[in-house]
Amino acid sequence: MNHPIVFIHGSGDSARIWRPQIDYFGTERAFAIDLPGHGKRPDSLPEEVSVMDYARAAHNTIFDELQLDHPVVAGHSLGGAIALAMGLEYGSELGGLILIGTGARLRVHPDLLKGARETPQQTNLQMQRLALATTTDPAILNGPADEQAKTEPNMLYRDLTACNIFDVMARLDEIHLPTLIICGTEDRLTPVKYSDYLHNHIAGSTLITIPQAGHYVFREQPEAVNKAIEEWMRES
């Protein structure tokens, strides 16, 4: 498989979070996009959005702006939900899916939703700590924290709310795309059982679990994730 890869970030993040992947695969093949209201992309959506709203926006960016041909859409967390929604809505236009630290349903703890609305910066830091494996050096937070700086604080609440109402558990058998599923073995936000469910319900999918990694598996173990993607792309 020699398709381009488009990386979609998770809640409160921006395209810059994918720097290790863009550096590895190169800018001619790999693209990272900002969702509306994140990073460098102006907001074009209302205060309350669904994952499908983000999927439509991502579709416009990928096909109207970048004009890519049958890309593989790779998403992390919220971005993975967007990838799933795109697989269901635009499957014939895609070359495959890469689902990283995500699930077919993404319920958010009420305390995190409350915190994202009332104290978004503190809650963002709390979520980042939860997103790391216990074996991960906390210094890795410096990278993601810097790379999230351009996203407006209210975006975290909007993103988490979109996650909280997302549910495609009953529709996974409609996806007929090559699919790679990646999860850190110590992911506390979207545990391995979420990835197991995806793997068991998406026909022909491949599941890779990465040890000593949590929710930010692609930042905690970038070499392992990049090689897993490269090998899957070569064999698919």
Side-chain angles (χ1 to χ4, degrees):
M1 187 190 296
N2 194 32
H3 299 284
I5 311 171
V6 178
F7 293 95
I8 303 179
H9 62 80
S11 299
D13 287 338
S14 74
R16 295 170 63 188
I17 201 75
W18 296 105
R19 179 178 49 79
Q21 284 65 49
I22 301 302
D23 288 348
Y24 184 86
F25 290 101
T27 55
E28 292 186 359
R29 186 183 186 192
F31 305 83
I33 65 172
D34 285 320
L35 295 172
H38 300 70
K40 297 180 180 179
R41 184 166 294 276
D43 198 9
S44 58
L45 297 176
E47 290 185 11
E48 295 184 8
V49 303
S50 66
V51 166
M52 194 62 227
D53 292 325
Y54 276 140
R56 292 189 186 101
H59 180 273
N60 291 340
T61 301
I62 293 167
F63 292 98
D64 296 342
E65 295 181 24
L66 297 176
Q67 298 186 342
L68 299 178
D69 181 28
H70 285 85
V72 171
V73 176
H76 170 243
S77 199
L78 167 63
I82 293 166
L84 283 167
M86 292 187 70
L88 290 166
E89 188 74 13
Y90 310 111
S92 64
E93 300 176 62
L94 306 182
L97 302 175
I98 301 173
L99 310 173
I100 303 174
T102 192
R105 183 171 65 180
L106 296 173
R107 291 287 186 263
V108 179
H109 194 284
D111 289 347
L112 287 177
L113 285 172
K114 183 174 185 287
R117 185 176 64 249
E118 298 176 357
T119 55
Q121 293 177 331
Q122 289 178 321
T123 302
N124 205 6
L125 288 173
Q126 177 188 359
M127 288 186 61
Q128 287 178 22
R129 294 187 184 97
L130 287 171
L132 297 179
T134 56
T135 52
T136 297
D137 184 348
I140 196 174
L141 287 174
N142 296 336
D146 292 344
E147 287 155 10
Q148 292 166 355
K150 291 179 179 285
T151 297
E152 293 296 325
N154 65 303
M155 288 297 107
L156 180 62
Y157 178 68
R158 187 170 83 174
D159 291 350
L160 293 182
T161 301
C163 286
N164 194 48
I165 60 174
F166 175 72
D167 186 349
V168 294
M169 291 181 72
R171 298 190 62 194
L172 294 181
D173 61 351
E174 299 175 36
I175 294 176
H176 303 288
L177 290 165
T179 301
L180 172 63
I181 303 159
I182 298 175
C183 188
T185 58
E186 295 186 48
D187 192 331
R188 289 176 284 179
L189 296 179
T190 52
V192 174
K193 66 179 181 180
Y194 286 27
S195 290
D196 285 337
Y197 188 90
L198 291 171
H199 179 48
N200 291 334
H201 290 82
I202 299 178
S205 62
T206 300
L207 172 62
I208 302 290
T209 55
I210 307 292
Q212 296 184 315
H215 193 56
Y216 269 127
V217 57
F218 63 101
R219 292 301 301 243
E220 296 172 87
Q221 299 290 346
E223 296 86 0
V225 169
N226 294 342
K227 288 179 180 177
I229 293 173
E230 183 177 45
E231 290 176 8
W232 175 77
M233 294 282 288
R234 185 169 59 244
E235 295 169 0
S236 296

